[in-house]
Amino acid sequence: MITVVNPRGQLPPRRLIPMASRLDSIDGKTIYIVDIRWPYTQQFTEELQKILSERYPNTTFIRREKAGPYGEADPQLWDEIKEKGHGMILGTGH
Amino acid sequence: MPGLRLAILPGREYYARRINTKEIEPIALSAIDQLISGLTRPLSEEEERPKQKYLKPTETIKIEAESYELALEKFNQLFIDQHWGSGLPLIPPTKERVDWMLTGTHRSPQEIIGTVIPKNGIATIEKIAINSVMAGAKPEYLPVIIAALEGFLDQDFDLLHMTTSSGSFLPAIIVNGPIAKEIDMNSGIGLIGHGWRANNTIGHAIRLSLINLGHLWPGENDMALIGRLSSHTFFTFAENEEQSPWEPYHVSLGYKKEESAVTVSTIGGYTSGLTILGGGAVEIWSAQSILDRMTSLISGNRRIFGLFKRGQANPMAHPSRFIFVIHPELALELNRLGYNRESLQKYLYEKTCIPYENLTPQEVKGLEDRIDASRAGDILRYDLIPSDRLPIFQEALQSGEKVPVVISPHDIALFVAGGFPGYTFAMSYFRVSHVTKKVEGV
């Protein structure tokens, strides 16, 4: 028999938070499409906005590019979405 | 949150069709239902009230078998199945062997040197020692392994990119100071190859530490599409201080000669990781012919200019940094010609500047945008021109001036290594992720 010790780095404890409540319908709502600006994500998110706007004419789809590096938060935009939006689609493209 | 709601696109088509809105249309169409569902589908019990999870790690694992040989085989299979190994055979990390490994440092086993991405596992000296045992290292190597990991965990080192990128980036681990000789590291012929226990097992211990402390695994979060070169041991070698005419690299950074240091640096990506520039026993070479290849390599890399687009994370636009590993014969010849490390860095920096008139309008625009973005600070740190270098680039953007292709002469790092004969070779990356740490706790 061999007894060995665990080589894994212990993961720090994480607190899981509940997800935001979902919408009953997107009718009459404002949905943000956020592009993190990885190469060539612009084309995809623009096309997404076009198709969604055509298919759901009673919904406002706003496409925004996140400020700053792709891996970092954009607190100003998050605040704007919380204030004016009802939902968000975040596009990583990577 | 218990988990994000993801709309998964078919990667096989997405990457090929994202060139314009017309091409990408069917892919965007295929995502619509997933997106609307993600926005409107009622929350599950788990999403609404996630259960807090904390799995206490198992401290020891017992492996039973009819013989030691069978237990050893079972151990190796278990560790690879759990994604705790590298694919090479491992030494079982028994408590006795880990205690023996820890005799190599005065540092406390419980000391935490940081957390390792991508999953932020806690790196204690003890956990590093466990992985060092598995790699087949000796206790006297442990301080070097710890120093290398401290380099990776430095705030100026982008370990996330190096270990998870779809490009084949890998680290070079270069050791300076007396410890290199004391532990018998190779700095001569075959310096990045096999056959040297210190070089190979230090590299392997670091590979295993990155896997186990970061919870890293190919295809899960290590996304190197073709893998990484020298993936089990990396490029791990020592500077050939004995045969170098110049002061050791770490001394040029301000460390004392009697101190030891480890430089870790990301290299490779979309190339083989290194480029041979001359030397050897086959082709005729001269100091000037190799200097010309060095300058050609640097000046041919004009990513600092036109590829930059403000706000876009384009890896091809990150300014470069170069490491040149100069074989001793060339270093001696350059020394005879009057060069030392600093004057050679200056020569290469100045020689590779591009006349302003030779820049395309797109390159001028790209550099102007980079300067503006650097001033504003809304830019990836890879792309930044530091404030002390900004005036140089601003003044260079006019007729009659020359524009640097590297941010600073210090972005051209020079080491002397290899034997007689030897090759001079280059390794490059973005200008970040090049850190030197003192070896402590010997």
Side-chain angles (χ1 to χ4, degrees):
Chain A
M1 184 175 78
I2 308 173
T3 302
V4 294
V5 289
N6 190 331
R8 302 292 268 185
Q10 190 181 324
L11 299 179
R14 289 178 191 157
R15 193 174 68 87
L16 297 177
I17 57 173
M19 287 175 73
S21 56
R22 300 294 109 170
L23 305 170
D24 294 334
S25 152
I26 62 167
D27 209 36
K29 304 290 194 314
T30 298
I31 307 294
Y32 278 76
I33 300 171
V34 179
D35 184 344
I36 71 158
R37 294 184 300 181
W38 186 256
Y40 306 100
T41 49
Q42 182 187 341
Q43 292 84 330
F44 177 71
T45 50
E46 281 180 357
E47 189 59 21
L48 212 54
Q49 183 187 25
K50 180 173 152 263
I51 297 169
L52 284 165
S53 299
E54 285 168 2
R55 196 175 284 190
Y56 301 95
N58 296 329
T59 304
T60 304
F61 292 96
I62 299 174
R63 181 185 168 276
R64 292 288 301 274
E65 293 187 346
K66 190 183 74 58
Y70 62 91
E72 292 180 13
D74 181 354
Q76 275 186 316
L77 180 58
W78 305 157
D79 287 345
E80 180 189 322
I81 295 171
K82 280 179 198 166
E83 187 190 334
K84 299 179 182 171
H86 300 96
M88 177 180 79
I89 297 165
L90 180 78
T92 65
H94 180 235
Chain B
M1 283 184 284
L4 294 171
R5 287 187 171 182
L6 300 173
I8 309 291
L9 303 177
R12 198 167 160 183
E13 293 171 79
Y14 171 78
Y15 291 109
R17 303 188 71 136
R18 61 194 164 138
I19 187 72
N20 59 45
T21 51
K22 187 170 182 301
E23 281 286 313
I24 201 71
E25 185 185 5
I27 309 299
L29 271 168
S30 75
I32 301 299
D33 290 346
Q34 295 182 73
L35 292 171
I36 299 301
S37 170
L39 288 164
T40 57
R41 194 173 71 252
L43 294 181
S44 68
E45 172 69 21
E46 176 63 12
E47 287 173 330
E48 204 167 356
R49 282 179 285 278
K51 289 179 191 138
Q52 302 303 320
K53 294 171 190 163
Y54 177 70
L55 295 175
K56 194 172 184 308
T58 312
E59 291 303 325
T60 56
I61 302 116
K62 289 182 179 170
I63 295 151
E64 295 184 17
E66 288 174 10
S67 67
Y68 178 79
E69 287 70 29
L70 287 173
L72 187 59
E73 175 57 28
K74 209 169 164 182
F75 152 76
N76 268 292
Q77 192 59 51
L78 173 72
F79 269 46
I80 199 71
D81 290 347
Q82 295 284 342
H83 296 179
W84 296 353
S86 63
L88 292 180
L90 304 172
I91 306 289
T94 58
K95 185 176 181 313
E96 294 74 20
R97 208 160 176 98
V98 173
D99 286 345
W100 173 67
M101 181 61 65
L102 284 165
T103 63
T105 180
H106 297 306
R107 298 171 72 164
S108 163
Q110 303 317 317
E111 181 186 342
I112 295 171
I113 67 161
T115 57
V116 181
I117 57 82
K119 293 199 173 174
N120 295 320
I122 297 168
T124 62
I125 297 294
E126 184 180 37
K127 290 289 182 183
I128 297 168
I130 294 168
N131 283 280
S132 301
V133 166
M134 289 160 58
K138 291 182 178 180
E140 52 266 41
Y141 308 166
L142 183 59
V144 173
I145 295 162
I146 295 168
L149 286 163
E150 286 177 318
F152 290 138
L153 301 186
D154 190 281
Q155 61 177 1
D156 286 336
F157 198 99
D158 188 356
L159 184 63
L160 182 67
H161 186 257
M162 187 188 79
T163 55
T164 64
S165 171
S166 53
S168 295
F169 300 98
L170 73 148
I173 301 155
I174 308 168
V175 181
N176 272 108
I179 199 166
K181 195 170 180 190
E182 288 162 15
I183 63 175
D184 195 26
M185 285 195 76
N186 186 16
S187 60
I189 289 175
L191 73 163
I192 63 167
H194 61 277
W196 294 80
R197 183 168 176 181
N199 298 44
N200 299 158
T201 62
I202 287 171
H204 195 203
I206 292 163
R207 156 50 74 211
L208 289 167
S209 295
L210 293 176
I211 291 171
N212 284 318
L213 305 181
H215 296 236
L216 183 72
W217 197 252
E220 288 180 7
N221 45 24
D222 174 349
M223 300 311 293
L225 298 180
I226 61 164
R228 303 178 194 282
L229 293 176
S230 198
S231 185
H232 292 91
T233 60
F234 304 131
F235 291 177
T236 307
F237 59 95
E239 185 169 41
N240 191 340
E241 295 177 15
E242 278 190 357
Q243 292 174 318
S244 169
W246 301 329
E247 62 185 8
Y249 178 78
H250 71 308
V251 175
S252 76
L253 301 180
Y255 294 96
K256 293 175 187 160
K257 196 170 180 183
E258 60 271 23
E259 292 174 335
S260 296
V262 180
T263 300
V264 291
S265 197
T266 302
I267 61 169
Y270 305 102
T271 67
S272 63
L274 60 83
T275 307
I276 301 283
L277 298 169
V282 181
E283 297 293 333
I284 299 294
W285 60 273
S286 67
Q288 194 56 53
S289 70
I290 295 179
L291 288 178
D292 290 345
R293 286 182 188 169
M294 286 178 171
T295 54
S296 171
L297 185 83
I298 298 171
S299 60
N301 188 332
R302 291 162 74 132
R303 58 172 54 177
I304 192 173
F305 303 132
L307 295 172
F308 177 77
K309 189 177 172 191
R310 195 167 179 173
Q312 189 177 75
N314 180 3
M316 303 313 288
H318 302 326
S320 295
R321 181 251 304 136
F322 296 87
I323 298 174
F324 291 107
V325 179
I326 297 170
H327 65 290
E329 264 177 294
L330 174 61
L332 290 165
E333 177 62 7
L334 289 170
N335 190 58
R336 194 186 64 76
L337 293 169
Y339 289 105
N340 58 26
R341 178 180 276 110
E342 192 178 351
S343 65
L344 184 56
Q345 283 175 313
K346 191 164 177 284
Y347 166 84
L348 293 168
Y349 172 81
E350 290 175 353
K351 189 82 177 168
T352 53
C353 290
I354 310 277
Y356 172 77
E357 287 76 10
N358 290 356
L359 296 183
T360 65
Q362 188 197 353
E363 287 180 322
V364 172
K365 173 75 169 58
L367 189 52
E368 284 173 345
D369 285 353
R370 190 189 295 273
I371 290 169
D372 288 345
S374 296
R375 274 209 216 95
D378 64 339
I379 184 173
L380 275 171
R381 64 192 172 109
Y382 315 122
D383 291 333
L384 189 75
I385 300 175
S387 56
D388 63 321
R389 306 298 298 175
L390 270 174
I392 292 164
F393 284 89
Q394 285 168 303
E395 286 161 22
L397 275 179
Q398 56 187 307
S399 181
E401 295 294 332
K402 288 186 171 182
V403 189
V405 296
V406 287
I407 301 282
S408 149
H410 296 294
D411 290 334
I412 305 168
L414 305 173
F415 292 87
V416 177
F420 290 87
Y423 280 119
T424 287
F425 60 93
M427 305 184 282
S428 68
Y429 183 60
F430 317 138
R431 67 183 304 270
V432 294
S433 296
H434 182 84
V435 171
T436 301
K437 289 286 180 185
K438 185 179 165 188
V439 176
E440 306 268 18
V442 179

